[in-house]
Amino acid sequence: MKIYILADMEGIAGIRMIEQVRIGSAEYGPACKLMMADMNAAIDAAFAAGATEVVACDTHGGGGQVALAEMDARATYETPNARRIMPSLDRETAGLVLLGHHAKAGTLNGFLDHTMSSESWFEYRINGQAVGEIGIEAAYAAHFGVPVIAVSGDAAAAEEARALLGNVECAVVKHGIGRNRAHCVALPEAHQRIRAAVSAAVRDVRRYTPWAPALPATV
């Protein structure tokens, strides 16, 4: 059973201010280690729940946050390319885990809420429905018949995921205070929540369905 994990950075446990997600800042390096801790918790949970293959990918800033020496050696790693945000996601993939995700642009108390670019994107709609990156990635995965089975991030991201996808496991690891600060759950508890969500999703992966917009679609 193949499980795909796509990690963003804003929703990673312990990340609570914008400086941590800015490549090149003094806080960025330690924040990458926080991402690795979340990713390894998710990878381990997936294997423990029955996965036979796990592919991990990070999408923040085009990828590159993952330190391979620190990643669970049972998983494989890839970065997005110009044509495919999850290059090896295919019809053999049983489920997609969106790790460290955030709410769409304009979400009240969504920590670092945005949709792709806070500088140039205001709203993204599929068939008239406003969605964020969770929806964009869910629709992409649905092209291959793959459902989103679990999401981790702040409370606003979890609420968005449940409203859009319905049946999905969520791990809330922080609560936004306005847009630029967050109250974070202690790391051991946050990692336990990620493990619990991923484990539950992988163990019962057949009960999830892809979020597939009607085609032809208008974006």
Side-chain angles (χ1 to χ4, degrees):
M1 176 173 46
K2 178 180 175 181
I3 298 296
Y4 202 103
I5 298 173
L6 181 65
D8 205 352
M9 204 166 191
E10 288 82 1
I12 292 296
I15 290 182
R16 62 201 179 278
M17 53 187 179
I18 194 170
E19 291 78 10
Q20 290 173 283
V21 304
R22 286 179 169 161
I23 297 171
S25 74
E27 292 81 11
Y28 173 72
C32 289
K33 291 185 177 295
L34 292 174
M35 175 185 278
M36 292 310 306
D38 279 20
M39 186 173 283
N40 283 334
I43 292 169
D44 184 61
F47 278 116
T52 56
E53 180 183 359
V54 175
V55 179
C57 181
D58 61 322
T59 185
H60 183 76
Q65 279 71 224
V66 168
L68 285 176
E70 298 174 15
M71 192 178 82
D72 189 315
R74 295 171 293 175
T76 56
Y77 170 69
E78 64 184 10
T79 54
N81 61 41
R83 294 190 178 187
R84 297 189 65 173
I85 56 174
M86 295 173 268
S88 68
L89 186 136
D90 56 22
R91 294 191 179 276
E92 301 302 313
T93 306
L96 171 62
V97 175
L98 299 181
L99 188 74
H101 274 57
H102 54 81
K104 66 179 181 287
T107 301
L108 182 65
N109 290 327
F111 177 64
L112 297 182
D113 63 295
H114 65 282
T115 302
M116 305 306 286
S117 170
S118 58
E119 294 181 346
S120 57
W121 293 41
F122 174 72
E123 187 172 77
Y124 188 99
R125 289 180 176 266
I126 300 176
N127 294 339
Q129 181 177 3
V131 299
E133 292 173 31
I134 291 170
I136 293 169
E137 291 156 2
Y140 179 93
H143 174 74
F144 301 95
V146 179
V148 173
I149 60 174
V151 175
S152 76
D154 71 344
E159 182 178 351
E160 179 179 318
R162 292 189 185 105
L164 180 72
L165 306 173
N167 184 28
V168 64
E169 301 296 327
C170 292
V172 174
V173 301
K174 71 185 80 176
H175 295 265
I177 309 167
R179 183 178 190 272
N180 294 311
R181 290 291 183 271
H183 280 155
C184 292
V185 173
L187 292 180
E189 172 63 19
H191 296 153
Q192 180 54 39
R193 292 183 184 187
I194 291 169
R195 289 176 182 275
V198 173
S199 293
V202 174
R203 279 198 306 267
D204 202 10
V205 72
R206 293 185 184 276
R207 73 183 182 91
Y208 303 92
T209 55
W211 184 73
L215 298 176
T218 299
V219 174

